[in-house]
Amino acid sequence: FKDVEVASQKVWQLPHWKKPKQGQPYSLLDEYRFACRFLKEGDVAVDAGAHIGNVSAALALACGETGSVISFEPNPVTFQILSMNAMINGRNGKITPVPFALWLEDKHDLTFDYGDHWLDNGGYHVGNFRHGSAYKVPVIGVNLQAFLARQYKELVPKIKFVKLDCEGMDLELL
């Protein structure tokens, strides 16, 4: 973990995602500043395709102590790190990890493809879409509106921001 000071008295312990061919280093401070343009204390955000929770962290900090982030991540490997990220940093912002993919309707028999054993950057691939997939992982899909109405009805009016990174399904989900 790396301590990142984002505001007075607020330090987020950001997990390092150590894997081969890691891309650009993540800037929690830049993401936090961006999130603050849209969110304020007490707001709720949704992070779909949360991965290990880097963007969720920035959103949670922007939503403050009375707000929260509902973070969807179907990948079982990255979901574990997302959950640790949420637990370790709970004093600075609330992240609620949810182990499901967003889908058009509730679906319990989806299979996502991943190209490496890290299960990084995968998703649902059908038809002409090709992906170098060595690992197939069963996931559960939920319709966002129906899921939130069932599980977080009291938070729905407070949702001010939704981030989608749903591996090619973003436009359909919008």
Side-chain angles (χ1 to χ4, degrees):
F1 287 91
K2 175 184 175 187
D3 289 350
V4 179
E5 185 175 341
V6 292
S8 176
Q9 304 296 316
K10 286 195 177 186
V11 175
W12 196 275
Q13 290 185 306
L14 192 65
H16 285 257
W17 183 244
K18 294 183 178 181
K19 69 177 202 77
K21 298 181 183 177
Q22 179 63 25
Q24 286 288 96
Y26 176 78
S27 174
L28 177 62
L29 192 53
D30 288 346
E31 291 287 346
Y32 169 68
R33 288 180 183 137
F34 176 80
C36 286
R37 293 172 46 198
F38 303 97
L39 297 165
K40 64 183 183 326
E41 177 74 35
D43 285 344
V44 174
V46 173
D47 185 358
H51 201 254
I52 64 171
N54 289 346
V55 174
S56 293
L59 297 173
L61 287 162
C63 290
E65 293 177 22
T66 60
S68 65
V69 179
I70 304 166
S71 299
F72 292 84
E73 179 52 55
N75 177 325
V77 174
T78 54
F79 180 79
Q80 289 180 21
I81 300 169
L82 168 64
S83 298
M84 287 189 315
N85 195 356
M87 182 180 62
I88 290 167
N89 292 294
R91 71 191 176 285
N92 288 320
K94 183 178 179 191
I95 297 173
T96 303
V98 179
F100 304 133
L102 292 192
W103 208 250
L104 300 176
E105 71 278 336
D106 290 354
K107 194 163 176 69
H108 297 271
D109 61 349
L110 292 171
T111 301
F112 279 16
D113 302 319
Y114 295 93
D116 59 33
H117 68 282
W118 295 92
L119 302 185
D120 190 28
N121 197 28
Y124 186 71
H125 306 115
V126 296
N128 292 331
F129 189 88
R130 297 284 179 235
H131 191 269
S133 303
Y135 300 91
K136 300 205 176 294
V137 178
V139 301
I140 295 173
V142 295
N143 175 277
L144 179 62
Q145 288 179 312
F147 181 83
L148 292 175
R150 285 190 307 267
Q151 300 296 322
Y152 299 100
K153 186 176 185 177
E154 73 284 358
L155 296 180
V156 170
K158 296 179 179 182
I159 295 173
K160 304 297 182 206
F161 189 89
V162 176
K163 175 237 145 194
L164 292 177
D165 183 5
C166 297
E167 306 302 337
M169 292 291 296
D170 300 20
L171 287 177
E172 290 174 84
L173 292 169
L174 281 175

